[in-house]
Amino acid sequence: MASVESEAQSNDMEKKNEREVGSEAQSQVEDPEKKKKKEEKAREKELKKLKAAQKAEAAKLQAQQGSSASKTSKKKNLKRDAGEENPEDYADPVTPFGEKKRLSSLMAKAYNPSAVENSWYAWWEKSGFFVTDNKSSKPPFTIVLPPPNVTGALHIGHALMAAIEDTIIRWRRMSGYNTLWVPGMDHAGIATQVVVEKKIMRERRLTRHDVGRERFVSEVWNWKNEYGGTILKQLRCLGASLDWSREARIQKYHCKFDPILDICFTMDDKRSKAVTEAFVRLYNEGLIYRDLRLVNWDCVLRTAISDIEVEHVEIKDRTLLKVPGYENPVEFGVLTSFAYPLEGNLGELVVATTRVETMLGDTAIAIHPDDQRYSHLHGKFAIHPFNGRKLPIVCDAILVDPEFGTGAVKITPAHDPNDFEVGKRHNLDFINVFTDDGKINSNGGMEFSGMPRFKAREAVTAALQEKGLYRGSKANEMRLGLCSRTSDVLEPLIKPQWYVNCNVMAKQALDAVMNDESKKMEIIPKQYAAEWKRWLENIRDWCISRQLWWGHRIPAWYVTLDDDELKELGVYNDHWVVARNEEDAMLEASRMFDGKKFQMSQDPDVLDTWFSSGLFPLSVLGWPEDTEDLKAFYPTSVLETGHDILFFWVARMMMLGIKLGGDVPFRKVYLHPMIRDAHGRKMSKSLGNVIDPVEVISGITLGGLHKRLDEGILDPTELKIAKEGQVKDFPNGIPECGADALRFALVSYTAQVHDFLIFFFSRFLLPWVV
């Protein structure tokens, strides 16, 4: 019997296996469309069953509504009571400094930026996640942080820069690259000197000239050491994963968890050595030279500034403008006409000018050679009414338009760019009538000597009226040049300065971007390539000397021979010696002036800040030494910066990098938008619209914003304007947003706009936080 049952079971198993095999074989050849329809029908059937079950459940719930509501209420109370009984379940435990963040057992009910972001950065840094090895076999990827100015603190524009660069560098780090993000700070010659000058004036009522050069420079170093750490702290708060280990040493501690690192600085020993080496090499190749030319002179700072640092204001009509150093506004947009008496009783010649005070330095009058009205005056002279100087009447078809004005043009070669060229063409005298602080000097005559230039404008006009030579004035459109730092009206002055011949280097920088055959660098967005081309094709030689005290002293010494007739510094252009140090300069001077007795003194001027920062991709990697860093990481991969310094900095780095480093300093340039306030203005301390990113991250009240202004460097008028602006733009202060939300908001806008406003940023930031 057991045998029969066993046999039957065996037969059943065989049949079952056959059915399964057949079913499997059938499924392998079954039409996908039919299979899909079967699955859809099965789903519909299940859906009907589900709906029926839901209806039954709804009816059941309705019948038990009273009881159910009571139970629900009890459950809610239990949950609330449990939360109140165990608040530690939602709080992060204390994380020892440098250890991985310890998290709560339960996720907090509300997002708290400071709680979420706390402790992570110290662990990242201590774990060495940001440190780079120049001997790594991984492909290199390098970004140099555009060195922020050591003038106190970063603003929201720097936060945008840091957020973009950190995003790029973290992505490449996670992708397996040997990433290097190099930190650093710039000494910012003009900006920092202005800050410290205001500080000592506010605190001690002294100018830098009262203090003296040596003590003033010491004051600036103290400022740098005190406030430089603020910038590093801000970058950490932003989560910037910079390689702080590079050349860094702990200098001091503000507190246990706030080390101040002595990172790369444009005026430290290594960077200063690179600046000197670059100057000497370019001078020896004939690319740096000294010449007497017109410069844009700031009478407040008493220094020359670069052409591209000039802000131009279009004046359409008679306009009153506030000028530093003057109590009352000064009128611009006025064309004043006056007559020059002609020698030999030949009558008079009427000229017109928007700067009547410069007539004190006139040395000629120009007419067009084909202007028949003045053909009888060729070779004649006019007489200056205040000093009796004979002014030749010269024919100049290049400058003079006979159809404009009277067809006669006053020529002041030492105070106007066009007149400067006329002066060279006709071998005229160059007479400077202004002191460095913008007053009339002895060349302007005793009657006006010592007057501020715009006071002299009124006095000269009144004197012309007394002499019967005034011929009236009218409104006139004009373009006024202002200093971007001080808002002073710039004065063209003739000064001996050091220049860089940019022609060849500019052509190389242009070809590296625009020439398909030699292209080595890409500009993003592409629209800026056209501006790159336009500027480099029309480049002028770069004036690199500044009459400041804070900066790199020019490595040039002037040799005064005992038998020189004139002893003034720089009077003989062939008496300059350029060397890496004073000892080398002495040896070179002895060779040049063999057997002669002499004395030697270093040029008091300093170099333009953009010269040292233009070397930054090289100097930060150890150039001029042939370092392992230079071999591993130059050229760098990407430069990320604002489009407003495309020519101030990016073009200078390109020219110097190609010339001294043998290759472009970076393969790509990404230009981010500018952040402006709700009124479209750039960030400015005097306007009070500068926002500290830490204040956005951690939040700050309106009173806190005002307190920061009170501790700043603003004069009473600037302080009043700044506070009024803050009340209008931030009536309730700035709520806490956290670093992640700030970074996300900033980066999100970069793909949408050319420039974006803080108004939109603040409007849409808070919803992203919650």
Side-chain angles (χ1 to χ4, degrees), residues 569-590:
L569 178 72
V571 68
Y572 299 111
N573 212 33
D574 61 351
H575 281 27
W576 286 98
V577 175
V578 171
R580 291 173 178 82
N581 51 58
E582 188 171 4
E583 183 180 355
D584 289 351
M586 183 65 72
L587 291 174
E588 178 63 15
S590 299

Side-chain angles (χ1 to χ4, degrees), residues 555-569:
W557 284 259
Y558 184 74
V559 177
T560 303
L561 301 176
D562 285 1
D563 55 1
D564 280 343
E565 182 179 351
L566 302 175
K567 305 293 184 180
E568 184 182 354
L569 178 72

Side-chain angles (χ1 to χ4, degrees), residues 494-756:
I494 190 165
K495 290 278 187 180
Q497 302 287 316
W498 295 95
Y499 291 87
V500 176
N501 185 329
C502 296
N503 293 333
V504 175
M505 291 190 290
K507 179 66 166 57
Q508 292 172 334
L510 178 62
D511 289 344
V513 174
M514 307 302 297
N515 191 325
D516 291 336
E517 294 181 0
S518 58
K519 187 171 184 177
K520 292 185 176 182
M521 193 191 81
E522 178 185 6
I523 295 179
I524 305 169
K526 293 182 179 179
Q527 69 201 56
Y528 291 107
E531 293 187 23
W532 180 268
K533 181 175 185 292
R534 182 168 58 252
W535 190 78
L536 288 175
E537 284 182 338
N538 297 283
I539 197 168
R540 298 169 66 179
D541 284 1
W542 175 15
C543 175
I544 56 172
S545 46
R546 299 288 181 268
Q547 290 64 52
L548 303 173
W549 290 353
W550 174 243
H552 295 96
R553 283 284 291 270
I554 293 177
W557 284 259
Y558 184 74
V559 177
T560 303
L561 301 176
D562 285 1
D563 55 1
D564 280 343
E565 182 179 351
L566 302 175
K567 305 293 184 180
E568 184 182 354
L569 178 72
V571 68
Y572 299 111
N573 212 33
D574 61 351
H575 281 27
W576 286 98
V577 175
V578 171
R580 291 173 178 82
N581 51 58
E582 188 171 4
E583 183 180 355
D584 289 351
M586 183 65 72
L587 291 174
E588 178 63 15
S590 299
R591 186 193 63 79
M592 289 174 58
F593 305 103
D594 187 24
K596 296 184 178 180
K597 293 182 178 181
F598 62 84
Q599 299 196 356
M600 198 173 66
S601 57
Q602 188 174 359
D603 193 331
D605 291 354
V606 301
L607 285 164
D608 180 12
T609 301
W610 297 109
F611 187 85
S612 58
S613 58
L615 297 167
F616 205 63
L618 286 166
S619 63
V620 79
L621 296 175
W623 187 91
E625 303 298 330
D626 189 21
T627 64
E628 293 299 321
D629 279 351
L630 201 61
K631 295 174 184 175
F633 300 115
Y634 189 87
T636 65
S637 306
V638 176
L639 172 74
E640 190 281 334
T641 189
H643 64 75
D644 58 323
I645 56 173
L646 181 61
F647 309 122
F648 287 96
W649 190 42
V650 182
R652 268 77 181 267
M653 283 190 288
M654 277 289 286
M655 291 190 292
L656 294 174
I658 294 172
K659 178 64 183 176
L660 299 172
D663 201 349
V664 295
F666 21 75
R667 298 301 184 193
K668 291 185 179 181
V669 173
Y670 174 71
L671 303 170
H672 66 240
M674 298 296 297
I675 297 182
R676 302 180 182 274
D677 68 8
H679 316 286
R681 302 173 302 184
K682 291 178 66 175
M683 300 289 103
S684 168
K685 291 184 179 69
S686 61
L687 293 174
N689 62 358
V690 175
I691 299 177
D692 185 337
V694 176
E695 293 169 353
V696 180
I697 291 170
S698 58
I700 188 171
T701 63
L702 180 62
L705 288 168
H706 283 180
K707 184 175 184 294
R708 184 194 65 195
L709 286 176
D710 292 333
E711 295 171 349
I713 57 169
L714 305 183
D715 61 37
T717 302
E718 291 174 331
L719 185 62
K720 181 175 182 293
I721 295 172
K723 285 190 174 182
E724 289 174 352
Q726 286 184 348
V727 171
K728 184 176 181 180
D729 293 341
F730 307 102
N732 300 314
I734 301 174
E736 180 185 13
C737 295
D740 290 339
L742 171 63
R743 286 155 56 107
F744 183 75
L746 292 170
V747 173
S748 295
Y749 275 112
T750 58
Q752 303 175 34
V753 290
H754 174 72
D755 287 353
F756 58 93

Side-chain angles (χ1 to χ4, degrees), residues 36 59 89 104 110 133 151 154 169 202 344 358 371 440 447 484 490 493 511 580 630 668 689 697 730 749:
K36 184 178 179 181
D89 290 342
S104 61
D133 181 6
T151 51
L154 305 182
I169 210 74
R202 183 181 68 250
T358 64
D371 192 337
I440 304 300
E447 184 178 354
S484 59
L490 295 171
L493 284 187
D511 289 344
R580 291 173 178 82
L630 201 61
K668 291 185 179 181
N689 62 358
I697 291 170
F730 307 102
Y749 275 112

Side-chain angles (χ1 to χ4, degrees), residues 21-216:
V21 171
S23 176
E24 183 179 353
Q26 185 180 358
S27 66
Q28 290 176 352
V29 296
E30 187 176 2
D31 187 348
E33 288 296 327
K34 290 182 179 180
K35 184 179 179 181
K36 184 178 179 181
K37 288 180 180 179
K38 287 181 180 180
E39 291 173 350
E40 289 176 353
K41 286 181 179 180
R43 280 196 297 269
E44 289 176 3
K45 189 175 181 180
E46 290 296 326
L47 186 60
K48 288 178 181 180
K49 288 182 180 180
L50 180 61
K51 286 182 178 179
Q54 287 175 343
K55 285 182 180 180
E57 185 68 21
K60 184 178 179 181
L61 289 172
Q62 188 173 3
Q64 299 175 345
Q65 185 175 4
S67 175
S68 176
S70 176
K71 289 179 181 179
T72 302
S73 178
K74 289 179 180 178
K75 287 180 180 179
K76 287 183 178 179
N77 290 334
L78 285 172
K79 287 183 178 180
R80 183 168 59 252
D81 293 343
E84 291 171 356
E85 291 173 0
N86 300 290
E88 65 275 7
D89 290 342
Y90 299 94
D92 291 337
V94 175
T95 301
F97 182 74
E99 291 189 11
K100 188 174 182 180
K101 184 177 176 67
R102 298 179 181 178
L103 304 176
S104 61
S105 59
L106 295 176
M107 182 179 289
K109 296 178 180 180
Y111 178 71
N112 184 335
S114 58
V116 171
E117 298 172 359
N118 186 40
S119 299
W120 286 110
Y121 196 94
W123 176 61
W124 293 336
E125 189 173 358
K126 187 176 180 181
S127 301
F129 295 151
F130 310 155
V131 177
T132 307
D133 181 6
N134 56 30
K135 293 181 173 59
S136 173
S137 59
K138 296 178 181 179
F141 187 89
T142 312
I143 296 179
V144 172
L145 178 76
N149 294 347
V150 58
T151 51
L154 305 182
H155 56 66
I156 205 73
H158 296 102
L160 170 63
M161 172 189 73
I164 294 172
E165 293 180 24
D166 194 40
T167 301
I168 295 171
I169 210 74
R170 286 179 185 266
W171 169 50
R172 289 293 187 177
R173 188 181 291 127
M174 291 187 293
S175 299
Y177 284 80
N178 184 30
T179 55
L180 170 61
W181 189 13
V182 191
M185 287 190 293
D186 191 276
H187 68 279
I190 292 178
T192 305
Q193 179 157 315
V194 168
V195 167
V196 178
E197 282 196 75
K198 286 186 175 182
K199 179 176 180 289
I200 62 176
M201 173 56 70
R202 183 181 68 250
E203 294 177 352
R204 285 175 272 170
R205 310 305 302 171
L206 296 174
T207 68
R208 63 178 164 116
H209 300 282
D210 296 328
V211 173
R213 181 166 191 154
E214 186 175 345
R215 284 181 57 198
F216 179 79

